[in-house]
Amino acid sequence: MHRVGSAGNTAGSTRPRKEKRFTYVLNDADDKKHCAGINCMAYLNGSTFSTSDYLFSGSRDGTLKRWELNNGDASFSATFESHVDWVNDAIIVGEKLVSCSSDTTIKVWNCFSDGACTRTFRQHSDYVICLAAAEKNSNIVASGGLGGEVFVWDLDAALAPVAKSVDAKEDEVPNGNSGPPLTTLCSVNSSSNIASSNSQSHGYSPIAAKGHKDSVYALAMNDTGTLLLSGGTEKVVRVWDPRTGSKNMKLRGHTDNIRALLVDSTGRYCLSGSSDSMIRLWDLGQQRCVHSYAVHTDSVWALATTHSFGHVYSGGRDQSVYLTDLSTRESVLLCTNECPILQLSLQDDTIWVATTDSSVYGWPAEGLTPQKVFQKGGSFLAGNLSFSRARASLEGSAPVPVYKEPSFVVPGVPAIVQHEIMNNRRHVLTKDTTGSVKLWEITRGAVIEDFGKVSFEDKKKELFEMVSIPAWFTMDARLGCLSVHLDTPQCFSAEIYAVDLNVSGAQEDLKINLAHDTLCGLLVHWSKRKQKSSSHGLPNGDSSIGKDVPSKDSHRSRTEVDDTTENHTTHVLPSFEFSTVSPPSIITEGSSGGPWRKRITDLDGTEGDLPWWCVDCVTHNRYPKENTKCGFYLHPAEGSPAPNITQGKLSAPRILRIHKVANYVVEKLVLDKPLDGGSDSTFVMGLSSAQSQLSQLDSSSRLGLKPWQKTKPCIEVLSPDMSLATVRTYIWKKPEDLILHYRVVQSR
């Protein structure tokens, strides 16, 4: 899982505090589409609440999207963005959308809102994988995850306002969403004894169904909320009373992980899908398996049934969707997809299919009259042994799909599967699932060139530059897009000259700190809105810049701070301007409520949980000064008449160009006349195989030199535009100290 930082310090610890991480997520040209696999879907029949039907999709890109279904078309309606990791499941509960994520949270949204999260619950200790709801009891929701935890929530009680106390605050997230602290947990242990853990005397606590020893992958609940089923890596189906958390029974039969569960409205029958490739029908009254269906050749990951619970649609790792009659055992291959199937959602005569692809597919299903599908032919009798379908497939009797093409496609953006940070530390080369190779400029979050379907390795070699810039960020593509992580103080270690960014009118020696200007570009909307809101002034005449900003006497980050520059938070160079059409999102850890995510254009200036070092950087242009020096020796070349100009080790900024070092040597060798008596002498510098501070090396020559003395030196071995860091990395390539050799020769 992508973790976004660590906050706080252990009481009494002498270790330096680890500051919060700041992450920004870059979107491609169209942020109205998912850019990673679809983990879940939820269908909302609009007849009850509106004139349109809606489909909600949750993705590995960390967002949910709402699609309006009209006249055979699915159009984008809204993005629900607050999770900071994969969205694993989502369900509709009345007019509320409930989602869970690998960020260990459960979030509640209004289905018809503009995407604002109304409440966040943080009870799970690990990834939250699955949800279940009681259809006729619109306030009961169950959640399960990799921590072996199953919680039952009463949303009406959980969402009710709770009075704040001096000792405890609500579970707040920076976008204005808040929730009560989930404490005073009433748990049921393996012996069904009720144990109470009261860390605080107020707040809502869910019921915990304790008994799982390992991960929970699937949940199901009957319509009235009186029966809860769970399954996971223990290969058994557990049955609970969700009202108390007590165990009712345990169903054994599967030989591998249970990945999908369904229960009929009466709570009598249950269907389970497993990684053993089997579908099983259980009679809960008899507490036994009454039928086994071998229709898949690999793991079964998704199930959906008709309203009467007479037919089941199933999908999984074999990329196929089958329709099976539970009573006659007749089965037919409905369709095949290009990727493994993660979830199914039946809507009348359409079966919506979520796969590891970023698109959503709708296939004909005849959900109201499934017998019509069997009339098209190609059916077979489902076996009752796990190897029967696999053997039939090997013998060449694999069925032919009834439908060749989907009736709906909600297209997504291809996910990034490979990336390489270029040496200039501003460009990143990526490759997506279609094989398309693109070059990104991460300091403004834009694709600057699309190379199409070319060799990633060949293009990487072609774009290689012999430059050396410190690694000021880390990166991953877990969300299907580029996530750039900044940690202080190391993120402030990279500087480049403004002329390299083609900044018009910039002085030759003006340096740009990449992290500083990137943060200014990302937080420019926040900064402007904050300045506007704070212009009215606070009652005490002060203006807050963030809840976690240290006081003046705080032990900030144990580094020297550069505060010599003037505040220019509203001025952003073109190379650091981020798009407002497809804006990036920022992820950071809140002061009390855990990580949060928000698009930069949605920042309103009231976010108080931004890391203090980001606020200090953007608001006051103060940031830690990293050691960006490079040490080296200057020696005259063998056989050169030039004298020694220094005996000690010199140091200069890593980005200092070689021609600046040459200028320094010329200054040190200035005489009343040229060394060799001629006026056309030039200076030559090179490397051979063979501490004083050079603090002004990156400034222009300041001496009043004669015309012949102002001749620009030529470099024989090293390029004049090469930096000291580049020479150290690519030319010298030795563990010992860098040695530069100079000589004076007669120019031709």
Side-chain angles (χ1 to χ4, degrees):
M1 169 187 166
H2 160 64
R3 308 285 183 184
V4 294
S6 175
N9 206 2
T10 304
S13 174
T14 58
R15 296 176 61 186
R17 174 190 176 193
K18 184 178 180 181
E19 301 295 348
K20 297 176 188 175
R21 166 174 286 186
F22 183 92
T23 295
Y24 62 99
V25 182
L26 302 180
N27 299 312
D28 210 334
D30 191 352
D31 64 351
K32 295 181 179 179
K33 299 178 181 179
H34 286 299
C35 63
I38 310 299
N39 278 344
C40 57
M41 296 172 301
Y43 171 70
L44 177 63
N45 190 321
S47 60
T48 307
F49 304 105
S50 67
T51 58
S52 300
D53 293 341
Y54 291 96
L55 182 71
F56 295 84
S57 57
S59 171
R60 295 178 177 182
D61 63 15
T63 69
L64 298 105
K65 295 187 185 295
R66 184 179 66 215
W67 311 93
E68 185 174 359
L69 306 177
N70 273 321
N71 302 320
D73 186 33
S75 58
F76 172 80
S77 179
T79 294
F80 296 76
E81 185 172 6
S82 183
H83 285 296
V84 301
D85 209 330
W86 291 10
V87 177
N88 294 320
D89 203 1
I91 55 175
I92 303 294
V93 184
E95 292 189 44
K96 295 185 283 288
L97 173 68
V98 183
S99 62
C100 65
S101 167
S102 294
D103 62 14
T104 75
T105 68
I106 299 167
K107 291 183 180 287
V108 183
W109 324 71
N110 185 315
C111 288
F112 304 104
S113 71
D114 58 357
C117 177
T118 58
R119 191 62 58 92
T120 298
F121 302 126
R122 311 179 191 277
Q123 186 72 46
H124 285 268
S125 62
D126 209 332
Y127 296 3
V128 192
I129 300 298
C130 49
L131 298 170
E135 187 172 330
K136 294 181 180 178
N137 192 345
S138 61
N139 63 317
I140 301 299
V141 172
S143 60
L146 298 190
E149 302 154 325
V150 175
F151 295 111
V152 181
W153 307 81
D154 182 332
L155 291 186
D156 287 348
L159 298 177
V162 176
K164 293 183 179 180
S165 69
V166 177
D167 298 327
K169 296 182 179 179
E170 288 186 347
D171 176 18
E172 298 177 347
V173 287
N175 57 5
N177 311 325
S178 60
L182 302 177
T183 55
T184 321
L185 180 65
C186 181
S187 62
V188 183
N189 57 31
S190 58
S191 60
S192 298
N193 294 324
I194 298 179
S196 181
S197 173
N198 299 316
S199 59
Q200 290 178 352
S201 59
H202 79 284
Y204 171 76
S205 298
I207 295 174
K210 290 195 175 288
H212 277 284
K213 301 179 179 65
D214 215 332
S215 301
V216 177
Y217 284 130
L219 292 172
M221 192 180 293
N222 66 338
D223 286 357
T224 57
T226 59
L227 201 64
L228 174 65
L229 289 84
S230 62
T233 56
E234 295 174 67
K235 309 172 190 176
V236 298
V237 178
R238 295 180 182 270
V239 183
W240 313 82
D241 183 343
R243 296 164 294 186
T244 61
S246 59
K247 292 183 291 185
N248 290 347
M249 68 186 78
K250 187 185 298 184
L251 306 175
R252 302 181 184 275
H254 282 295
T255 59
D256 207 336
N257 300 340
I258 296 172
R259 300 299 300 267
L261 288 170
L262 292 174
V263 63
D264 75 335
S265 58
T266 65
R268 178 180 177 183
Y269 293 105
C270 162
L271 277 168
S272 59
S274 168
S275 294
D276 62 13
S277 78
M278 296 295 294
I279 301 170
R280 291 183 179 270
L281 177 65
W282 307 83
D283 187 318
L284 299 182
Q286 300 180 28
Q287 299 189 25
R288 69 182 185 91
C289 175
V290 293
H291 285 296
S292 296
Y293 307 91
V295 297
H296 288 271
T297 59
D298 209 332
S299 301
V300 180
W301 289 348
L303 297 173
T305 65
T306 55
H307 183 71
S308 64
F309 214 76
H311 295 76
V312 62
Y313 298 83
S314 57
R317 193 171 181 177
D318 59 7
Q319 307 174 7
S320 302
V321 177
Y322 288 90
L323 171 62
T324 304
D325 188 319
L326 295 178
S327 59
T328 67
R329 306 182 63 85
E330 188 179 10
S331 187
V332 64
L333 176 58
L334 192 72
C335 61
T336 58
N337 293 260
E338 296 182 355
C339 299
I341 295 164
L342 301 175
Q343 201 172 88
L344 299 172
S345 179
L346 182 63
Q347 172 218 342
D348 297 333
D349 290 333
T350 300
I351 185 80
W352 292 99
V353 179
T355 72
T356 54
D357 182 27
S358 57
S359 299
V360 181
Y361 301 92
W363 293 84
E366 301 292 348
L368 300 177
T369 53
Q371 288 299 331
K372 291 183 179 180
V373 179
F374 293 100
Q375 294 171 4
K376 298 179 185 293
S379 64
F380 61 92
L381 192 65
N384 57 8
L385 297 175
S386 60
F387 59 83
S388 57
R389 277 295 299 121
R391 184 172 62 185
S393 179
L394 290 173
E395 292 173 352
S397 58
V400 177
V402 175
Y403 300 107
K404 306 295 183 182
E405 297 292 335
S407 52
F408 292 92
V409 178
V410 183
V413 177
I416 294 174
V417 294
Q418 191 175 1
H419 66 276
E420 184 76 22
I421 302 172
M422 300 287 98
N423 285 350
N424 62 16
R425 302 295 175 180
R426 291 187 295 118
H427 295 158
V428 174
L429 192 68
T430 64
K431 180 180 179 180
D432 62 30
T433 51
T434 65
S436 181
V437 178
K438 298 178 181 179
L439 187 66
W440 292 71
E441 185 170 1
I442 65 159
T443 54
R444 59 188 182 97
V447 175
I448 57 177
E449 194 160 0
D450 188 342
F451 302 107
K453 296 180 180 180
V454 300
S455 169
F456 183 83
E457 294 301 323
D458 290 347
K459 183 57 65 175
K460 184 173 69 173
K461 293 177 182 177
E462 178 185 330
L463 295 176
F464 174 80
E465 295 180 73
M466 192 181 290
V467 295
S468 179
I469 305 292
W472 59 282
F473 64 89
T474 56
M475 174 175 286
D476 69 60
R478 173 176 169 80
L479 301 179
C481 45
L482 295 178
S483 296
V484 185
H485 313 298
L486 303 182
D487 293 284
T488 188
Q490 54 267 38
C491 69
F492 296 107
S493 62
E495 293 179 327
I496 62 173
Y497 287 111
V499 293
D500 292 334
L501 293 174
N502 300 316
V503 178
S504 59
Q507 296 180 358
E508 180 185 4
D509 303 315
L510 177 62
K511 293 191 289 287
I512 301 293
N513 187 286
L514 292 177
H516 169 265
D517 280 67
T518 299
L519 285 170
C520 287
L522 288 166
L523 298 179
V524 63
H525 306 280
W526 174 86
S527 179
K528 289 180 179 179
R529 290 164 185 168
K530 181 170 183 59
Q531 289 176 358
K532 183 177 180 180
S533 62
S534 63
S535 63
H536 302 291
L538 297 177
N540 59 0
D542 197 6
S543 176
S544 172
I545 60 171
K547 293 181 181 178
D548 61 336
V549 179
S551 59
K552 292 182 180 180
D553 57 349
S554 296
H555 188 49
R556 297 161 73 96
S557 63
R558 283 81 172 172
T559 54
E560 185 178 357
V561 175
D562 179 6
D563 59 354
T564 58
T565 52
E566 188 176 331
N567 189 345
H568 62 284
T569 54
T570 58
H571 174 65
V572 178
L573 296 173
S575 296
F576 302 92
E577 290 180 343
F578 289 85
S579 169
T580 56
V581 177
S582 182
S585 303
I586 65 169
I587 297 176
T588 190
E589 185 173 345
S591 58
S592 60
W596 55 272
R597 173 174 175 172
K598 209 171 187 180
R599 280 182 290 189
I600 62 171
T601 50
D602 292 337
L603 298 171
D604 57 17
T606 63
E607 293 78 12
D609 283 351
L610 289 173
W612 74 266
W613 57 271
C614 294
V615 174
D616 222 21
C617 173
V618 173
T619 310
H620 301 295
N621 286 348
R622 293 198 298 256
Y623 51 88
K625 291 170 60 178
E626 282 290 275
N627 181 15
T628 59
K629 299 289 186 178
C630 180
F632 64 98
Y633 289 92
L634 271 176
H635 292 163
E638 185 177 355
S640 170
N644 283 322
I645 59 175
T646 181
Q647 297 296 325
K649 188 175 183 179
L650 302 168
S651 68
R654 289 169 45 91
I655 65 172
L656 188 73
R657 302 188 194 279
I658 288 299
H659 76 79
K660 291 287 188 177
V661 182
N663 286 344
Y664 170 81
V665 176
V666 169
E667 288 185 7
K668 290 295 184 180
L669 296 178
V670 166
L671 303 174
D672 292 336
K673 59 181 181 179
L675 287 176
D676 58 0
S679 62
D680 55 355
S681 296
T682 59
F683 175 82
V684 181
M685 175 172 287
L687 287 173
S688 77
S689 58
Q691 171 156 79
S692 62
Q693 291 296 318
L694 216 52
S695 59
Q696 302 297 327
L697 271 179
D698 56 342
S699 300
S700 300
S701 296
R702 296 163 305 284
L703 302 180
L705 303 181
K706 298 178 182 179
W708 69 265
Q709 295 167 333
K710 295 181 181 179
T711 302
K712 191 172 183 178
C714 67
I715 308 299
E716 199 172 69
V717 178
L718 304 177
S719 167
D721 290 330
M722 197 175 285
S723 70
L724 284 174
T726 302
V727 175
R728 186 72 180 84
T729 303
Y730 296 103
I731 307 299
W732 187 246
K733 294 182 179 180
K734 296 179 181 180
E736 60 265 23
D737 291 322
L738 170 64
I739 302 176
L740 299 177
H741 292 257
Y742 58 91
R743 72 172 74 235
V744 176
V745 299
Q746 184 73 32
S747 64
R748 298 177 181 177

